[in-house]
Amino acid sequence: MARIPVQIIDPQQLEGSGEVPGFPIEQFPRSCLAQGDSWFSIGAIPPFLTTNLLRELELSTGTCIVQCASPGATLKRMTDTTRARRFLQLLNGAKARNWSGILLSGGGNDLIEALQSTASDPALRLLRLQTEVGDPQLGPHPFVSDPGWETFRVHLQAVMQDLVAARDRGINQGQPIVLHTYDVPAPRDAAAGLNFGPWLSRALITFAVPQAEWNGVASELFARLHALVTGFPARFANVHVVDTLRTLAPAGNQDPGPTEDWQNEIHPTRAGYRKLAEKWTTVLDAVL
C-alpha cells in the first residue's frame, strides 16, 4: 500500500493573516491535532541536526497535523490554560474542529523533570540520597525511591485524566487519543546544544549514583513509565499507545555525541525517528 507523507502546519496557518488565506485543511481526508514535547518538535540546537517524530510519518491516507508541541513541555503544561491556550482552543474552545485524532508525546519530560528534584522528602524525588541507598523502607531498588515514584505515578495519571476530560468537554468527545512509550536512553554526557542537557547523567551525578549503575537506574525508571503509559488504554476511553520500547539501538555511556539512533542523551537521530515512525504508522492507520 502506498504511503503519503503527512502535512504538518502551525496553528496560525489555519487562520491565515492579512491577504494570506488560511490553510485548506478541509482538503485532507484526515486531520489531527498534536501536542507534546521535543520528540514532536525540536530535539537539538541548531534544529536541523535532527528532525522529529511527526516529520517522519507516512500514512495510507492524506493527513494534515496541526502541531502545537514545544521542547521541554510536560503533560502538566499541555493542559495548562495559561501555557497551552492554542492547543485547548483547538481541542474544545472557540476554534475547535472535529479532529480525526489527538496525538500526544508526553511523559518523558515529566520523568526527566522529576529526576532533578533534590527535596529532602523521599516522596518528592525519584532518586535516593547516599544515606538511603539500600533502605528497604524505600522499596527494593537500591537507587530509586518508591515513595517518590508513587507521587509521580499519581501525578501523571491525574494529568492524563485532565487531558481526557478536556477532550470530552467539546465536539471531540470520545475521539481517539494516541500517545507513545519511550525507548530507554543511555545516561551520558551528550547535550542538545546551548547548555540544554545532559539530563539523566546530571541527575545521577548529583545523587552520586555509580556510573556502573546508570543504565540499570534508567532501565528501571523507563520500565515503570512504560507500565504506567501502557496502562492508560484500560483506564481511559479511546486512548491508544504506540509501544516503541526496544526500537532504538542503545548508545553507550561514554559516547559524547550522536550514535546510530540517538542524536544526544534523550533525542533520537533522523534514523531513530524513522524507526519510531514505522511503529506509529501501523497504529494510526488502524485507529484513525
Side-chain angles (χ1 to χ4, degrees):
M1 181 183 296
R3 292 183 180 178
I4 305 169
V6 301
Q7 173 73 52
I8 301 170
I9 66 170
D10 184 271
Q12 293 177 332
Q13 292 177 255
L14 281 176
E15 299 177 9
S17 60
E19 297 181 357
V20 180
F23 185 84
I25 194 171
E26 294 81 7
Q27 296 180 6
F28 289 80
R30 299 191 301 210
S31 59
C32 295
L33 181 63
Q35 174 64 303
D37 53 26
S38 52
W39 281 35
F40 272 9
S41 53
I42 299 171
I45 299 174
F48 64 75
L49 290 177
T50 185
T51 178
N52 64 51
L53 208 160
L54 298 179
R55 292 195 177 280
E56 299 304 320
L57 284 177
E58 295 183 350
L59 302 176
S60 63
T61 301
T63 304
C64 181
I65 298 176
V66 180
Q67 203 270 86
C68 299
S70 60
T74 62
L75 277 175
K76 181 64 177 175
R77 297 190 187 106
M78 294 175 201
T79 56
D80 185 335
T81 56
T82 63
R83 302 191 190 193
R85 289 177 180 171
R86 290 194 302 180
F87 170 67
L88 293 174
Q89 285 176 342
L90 291 168
L91 179 64
N92 61 21
K95 300 178 182 179
R97 61 178 62 228
N98 192 243
W99 302 103
S100 305
I102 297 96
L103 315 183
L104 294 177
S105 179
N109 271 357
D110 299 75
L111 177 61
I112 288 167
E113 186 175 89
L115 270 173
Q116 312 308 314
S117 173
T118 57
S120 58
D121 186 348
L124 298 178
R125 52 181 158 78
L126 293 179
L127 297 175
R128 300 189 191 192
L129 302 174
Q130 278 294 293
T131 55
E132 299 168 343
V133 172
D135 184 346
Q137 293 185 346
L138 296 182
H141 196 282
F143 300 104
V144 177
S145 169
D146 272 8
W149 177 262
E150 181 61 13
T151 300
F152 177 80
R153 183 193 67 78
V154 171
H155 162 76
L156 207 64
Q157 196 162 276
V159 171
M160 189 64 193
Q161 176 67 61
D162 288 346
L163 203 148
V164 170
R167 174 198 65 180
D168 292 341
R169 278 197 290 272
I171 62 173
N172 287 294
Q173 180 178 7
Q175 289 296 89
I177 292 175
V178 184
L179 70 161
H180 65 96
T181 61
Y182 290 82
D183 217 329
V184 182
R188 60 194 180 106
D189 187 13
L194 291 183
N195 295 319
F196 288 100
W199 299 265
L200 300 172
S201 59
R202 181 177 294 167
L204 295 171
I205 290 170
T206 297
F207 281 86
V209 176
Q211 191 176 63
E213 305 291 342
W214 283 10
N215 286 343
V217 174
S219 294
E220 174 70 18
L221 289 169
F222 277 86
R224 294 187 186 201
L225 180 63
H226 178 271
L228 177 59
V229 172
T230 55
F232 285 161
R235 181 174 288 272
F236 306 113
N238 211 3
V239 170
H240 308 266
V241 174
V242 182
D243 192 353
T244 58
L245 189 64
R246 290 183 288 276
T247 299
L248 305 180
N253 299 123
Q254 304 299 326
D255 291 329
T259 63
E260 177 184 348
D261 287 340
W262 294 92
Q263 180 68 29
N264 49 59
E265 190 187 40
I266 64 171
H267 300 104
T269 59
R270 287 182 174 85
Y273 278 125
R274 290 190 193 105
K275 292 180 181 180
L276 299 171
E278 282 292 321
K279 300 285 184 73
W280 271 82
T281 293
T282 301
V283 174
L284 289 181
D285 275 337
V287 167
L288 298 181

